[in-house]
C-alpha cells in the first residue's frame, strides 16, 4: 500500500449489505480473489476492505486464508454493524470483541441503520468509542437526505452529525477512525454525487473535524465518499484531494469491484 501525496493511504471498502450468505460469499470471493489480489499488488493500490454479512465473515475469511485479524494483508474484513456492550442479554447483537476476532474494521451508522433501525448520532458515537477501545477501525457514515440536500441544509446536517457521532475521541483515536460521507440521495440510486460536490462536503467535514481535534488529526483522518460508486466514476472521486477512497455498496457485489480497485489507483492524488 502506498501513501498518497496527502500522506493518507486510500481505502476501497465493499459493503455487501444483506447479500450473500456463507455459501454464495465463499463462491464470490473464490471468483474475485486472484484478480483482486493481483490488482492490489500494483504501486499506489488502496487497502481493500470486504464487509460481508456477519454470518458470512468466517466463510470469506477461510477463502482469503487470513491468518489472524491483527495481521495486515491488503484485503481486510469489516463488519457492517455491532453493538457497544461487551456481552450479555442483547439478542441478535454482536460485541466488539466478537467482531475483532474476524475483522479489523466495522462500518457504523450507515444510513440504512439510521433509517430502518432508528440509530441516532448518540448511539453511533457509543459504538464508535467501543470499536476504538477494542482495536477496531470504525468507518463512521454520515450524510444528508434528499430533502436536506435540495433545501441547502447539507452543511448544517454535516456539522450536527460530525459533532455528535464523532464526539469524545482521544487525540490518538481521532487519527485512527475513518469517516464515510454518504449522501443518502446517492445511495443505491445510481445518482452519484459529482466529485466536486463530494469533495466540497468532505472538505467541510475535515474543517469540522479540525475544530474538534486540531489540524494534525484533520490532516490524517481518512474520509471516503459513498453513493453509487462504480468502476466508471471512481477515478473522478479519487482525483479530488480531500477524498481518500470509497465505500461501495451495489457495485461491490460484482467482479467489476476489481476494476473499482484498479481505477482508484490510476489517478490517486
Ligand atoms: C453503501 O451501501 O454504503 C452504498 C454507498 O451503496 P451504493 O454504492 O449501492 O450506492
Amino acid at each position: 500500500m502506498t501513501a498518497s501525496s496527502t500522506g493518507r493511504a486510500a481505502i476501497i471498502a465493499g459493503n455487501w449489505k444483506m447479500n450473500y450468505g456463507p455459501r454464495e460469499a465463499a463462491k464470490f470471493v473464490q471468483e474475485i480473489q486472484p484478480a483482486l489480489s493481483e490488482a492490489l499488488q500494483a504501486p499506489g493500490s488502496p487497502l481493500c476492505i470486504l464487509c460481508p454479512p456477519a454470518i458470512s465473515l468466517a466463510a470469506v475469511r477461510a477463502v482469503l486464508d487470513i491468518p489472524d485479524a491483527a495481521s495486515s494483508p491488503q484485503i481486510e474484513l469489516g463488519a457492517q454493524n455491532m453493538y457497544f456492550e461487551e456481552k450479555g442479554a442483547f439478542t441478535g447483537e454482536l460485541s466488539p470483541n466478537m467482531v475483532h476476532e474476524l475483522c479489523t474494521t466495522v462500518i457504523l451508522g450507515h444510513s440504512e441503520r439510521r433509517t430502518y433501525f432508528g440509530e441516532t448520532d448518540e448511539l453511533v458515537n457509543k459504538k464508535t468509542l467501543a470499536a476504538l477501545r477494542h482495536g477496531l477501525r470504525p468507518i463512521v457514515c454520515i450524510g444528508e437526505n434528499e430533502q436536506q440536500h435540495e433545501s441547502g441544509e447539507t452543511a448544517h446536517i454535516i456539522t450536527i452529525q460530525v459533532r455528535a457521532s464523532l464526539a469524545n475521541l482521544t487525540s490518538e483515536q481521532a487519527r485512527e477512525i475513518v469517516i464515510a460521507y454518504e449522501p443518502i440521495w446517492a445511495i443505491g440510486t445510481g445518482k452519484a454525487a459529482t466529485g466536486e460536490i463530494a469533495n466540497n462536503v468532505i472538505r467541510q467535514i475535515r474543517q469540522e473535524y479540525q475544530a474538534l481535534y486540531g489540524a494534525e488529526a484533520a490532516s490524517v483522518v481518512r474520509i471516503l465518499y459513498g453513493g453509487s460508486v462504480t468502476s466508471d466514476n471512481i477515478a473522478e472521486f479519487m482525483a479530488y484531494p480531500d477524498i481518500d477512497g470509497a465505500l461501495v455498496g451495489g457495485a461491490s457485489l460484482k467482479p467489476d469491484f476489481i476494476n473499482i480497485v484498479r481505477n482508484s489507483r490510476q489517478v490517486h492524488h
Side-chain angles (χ1 to χ4, degrees), residues 109-121 123-124 141 143-146 148 161 182-185 187:
H110 190 280
S111 66
E112 287 149 20
R113 300 291 320 163
R114 293 175 186 258
T115 304
Y116 303 130
F117 304 98
E119 294 203 6
T120 61
D121 286 327
L123 179 63
V124 174
C141 303
E144 82 286 3
N145 65 28
E146 180 148 40
Q148 292 160 339
Q161 290 183 337
E182 297 213 305
I184 297 171
W185 48 270
I187 298 180

Side-chain angles (χ1 to χ4, degrees), residues 15 17 110 112 182 186-189 226-229 247-251:
N15 172 17
K17 313 193 189 199
H110 190 280
E112 287 149 20
E182 297 213 305
I187 298 180
T189 59
S228 298
V229 168
L247 181 52
V248 184

Side-chain angles (χ1 to χ4, degrees), residues 82-86 96-97 100 125-138 168-170 173 176-177:
M82 61 161 224
Y83 199 47
F84 60 85
E85 293 283 3
E86 306 276 321
N97 274 332
H100 192 248
N125 184 237
K126 282 186 177 170
K127 292 182 173 194
T128 301
L129 295 171
L132 288 161
R133 273 198 307 276
H134 289 83
L136 284 162
R137 174 197 300 118
N168 300 319
L169 306 179
T170 65
Q173 290 171 340
E176 286 166 16
I177 71 159

Side-chain angles (χ1 to χ4, degrees), residues 35-36 38 74 80 99 101 116 132 139 160 167 176 180 191 246:
L36 182 58
E38 197 190 321
Q74 259 180 325
Q80 299 174 14
V99 173
E101 279 191 40
Y116 303 130
L132 288 161
I139 299 180
I160 292 172
E176 286 166 16
K191 221 173 59 177

Side-chain angles (χ1 to χ4, degrees), residues 30-61:
Q30 263 154 9
E31 187 185 334
I32 64 167
Q33 188 191 11
L36 182 58
S37 297
E38 197 190 321
L40 289 166
Q41 298 304 314
S45 291
L47 168 64
C48 176
I49 306 174
L50 302 180
C51 307
I55 201 162
S56 303
L57 280 164
V60 170
R61 210 179 137 92

Side-chain angles (χ1 to χ4, degrees), residues 57-237:
L57 280 164
V60 170
R61 210 179 137 92
V63 174
L64 294 175
D65 199 21
I66 298 175
D68 68 84
S71 68
S72 304
Q74 259 180 325
I75 305 175
E76 297 188 7
L77 290 183
Q80 299 174 14
N81 180 35
M82 61 161 224
Y83 199 47
F84 60 85
E85 293 283 3
E86 306 276 321
K87 62 177 178 174
F90 303 101
T91 301
E93 294 294 329
L94 301 174
S95 76
N97 274 332
M98 293 171 187
V99 173
H100 192 248
E101 279 191 40
L102 296 180
C103 300
T104 58
T105 300
V106 59
I107 299 171
L108 295 173
H110 190 280
S111 66
E112 287 149 20
R113 300 291 320 163
R114 293 175 186 258
T115 304
Y116 303 130
F117 304 98
E119 294 203 6
T120 61
D121 286 327
E122 289 66 32
L123 179 63
V124 174
N125 184 237
K126 282 186 177 170
K127 292 182 173 194
T128 301
L129 295 171
L132 288 161
R133 273 198 307 276
H134 289 83
L136 284 162
R137 174 197 300 118
I139 299 180
V140 182
C141 303
I142 57 175
E144 82 286 3
N145 65 28
E146 180 148 40
Q147 180 257 317
Q148 292 160 339
H149 173 65
E150 298 293 333
S151 58
E153 290 174 83
T154 300
H156 175 62
I157 297 297
I158 290 297
T159 301
I160 292 172
Q161 290 183 337
V162 169
R163 290 187 190 167
S165 298
L166 304 175
N168 300 319
L169 306 179
T170 65
S171 53
E172 194 182 323
Q173 290 171 340
R175 301 164 56 100
E176 286 166 16
I177 71 159
V178 175
I179 303 168
Y181 168 55
E182 297 213 305
I184 297 171
W185 48 270
I187 298 180
T189 59
K191 221 173 59 177
T194 62
E196 188 181 3
I197 290 177
N199 194 65
N200 284 343
V201 179
I202 287 176
R203 191 183 307 128
Q204 188 217 335
I205 294 170
R206 222 176 269 292
Q207 284 159 359
E208 295 292 341
Y209 207 69
Q210 176 164 345
L212 286 177
Y213 298 113
E216 218 268 321
S219 74
V220 298
V221 72
R222 284 177 286 185
I223 310 181
L224 317 181
Y225 166 74
S228 298
V229 168
T230 64
S231 58
D232 290 333
N233 64 21
I234 183 67
E236 178 189 343
F237 293 109

